[in-house]
Amino acid sequence: MMEFVDLRLFSSVFITLFVIMDPPGTVPIFLGLTGAMTRKQRNKAAWQAVAVALGVIVSFAVFGQSILSYMHISLAALQASGGLLLLLVAMELLTGKMEEAQASPNNKVNVALVPLGTPLLAGPGAIVATMVFVKQTDGTAADVLAIALAVVAVHVCLYLSMRFANLIHRVLKDSGTILVTRIAGLLLAAIAVQLIADAVTAFIQDA
């Protein structure tokens, strides 16, 4: 397995995106946005939201480096800005603002696409984190496969969380879901600080 996939990179990408996209934390939001739907409609909304999020993440993973090159943005600058964005997401998780998401007032809008698919799932934090990981790799097949598998694995977790949202919420209850979300915010804050520290180190070395 090690010959074909960089397991260390896989675990790093998976853990980072898992914490950012927070599958357990999507349960109360998903239930709130799809409260008026039938079970069949809710199941359809689950895979639609994941499909949209995956499409957005993959698009930025593939074309992100071209955008950076065109705009002459360095990896250090991307890491610093990414760290700040992740820190903002972490603060939202820690303060509970992520739980205040409301459905769009326009009933004609599919909530599975907006706001659930994006920006709640595929938000700036997940996009920037994915771009940073892609930028850091040397383009080998093992690295590309590791990132691809990690991204898909996180989205599978997201789908399972939403697909079985009712069951998960009954098991964790409101207090358990909030606790998991707060822990995710703490871990994400640590990841964000590390990104900023690495960026500062890179700036100093380049100076």
Side-chain angles (χ1 to χ4, degrees):
M1 185 69 173
M2 288 292 291
E3 296 179 359
F4 302 101
V5 179
D6 186 336
L7 295 182
R8 184 175 181 180
L9 178 60
F10 170 85
S11 61
S12 180
V13 176
F14 177 81
I15 293 173
T16 301
L17 291 183
F18 188 91
V19 169
I20 296 172
M21 304 181 86
D22 188 21
T26 63
V27 172
I29 298 175
F30 178 74
L31 291 176
L33 293 174
T34 61
M37 295 182 180
T38 64
R39 181 178 180 180
K40 183 177 180 181
Q41 290 174 327
R42 187 178 290 115
N43 292 342
K44 181 179 179 181
W47 71 259
Q48 284 182 331
V50 171
V52 170
L54 182 60
V56 172
I57 295 296
V58 170
S59 296
F60 276 93
V62 174
F63 301 108
Q65 292 194 54
S66 298
I67 296 174
L68 291 180
S69 298
Y70 178 77
M71 300 184 69
H72 305 288
I73 299 175
S74 67
L75 175 60
L78 180 63
Q79 287 178 315
S81 61
L84 292 174
L85 282 173
L86 298 187
L87 194 57
L88 289 176
V89 175
M91 293 304 297
E92 290 182 349
L93 290 173
L94 288 169
T95 57
K97 289 185 178 180
M98 281 291 191
E99 300 150 21
E100 299 173 0
Q102 300 293 327
S104 171
N106 184 356
N107 292 329
K108 295 182 179 180
V109 176
N110 187 349
V111 296
L113 308 182
V114 178
L116 191 55
T118 183
L120 290 179
L121 295 184
I127 290 172
V128 171
T130 303
M131 291 176 63
V132 168
F133 279 118
V134 172
K135 183 71 175 178
Q136 288 177 327
T137 62
D138 53 12
T140 62
D143 289 346
V144 173
L145 186 57
I147 294 176
L149 290 176
V151 169
V152 171
V154 171
H155 282 79
V156 169
C157 292
L158 284 168
Y159 173 74
L160 292 177
S161 294
M162 292 185 289
R163 177 64 176 78
F164 301 102
N166 290 323
L167 176 60
I168 294 175
H169 193 258
R170 283 200 298 268
V171 172
L172 294 179
K173 301 191 181 300
D174 290 338
S175 58
T177 302
I178 292 174
L179 175 62
V180 171
T181 301
R182 297 297 183 271
I183 294 174
L186 182 61
L187 293 174
L188 182 57
I191 293 172
V193 171
Q194 186 61 56
L195 272 177
I196 296 174
D198 291 342
V200 171
T201 301
F203 280 131
I204 294 176
Q205 292 176 345
D206 293 338

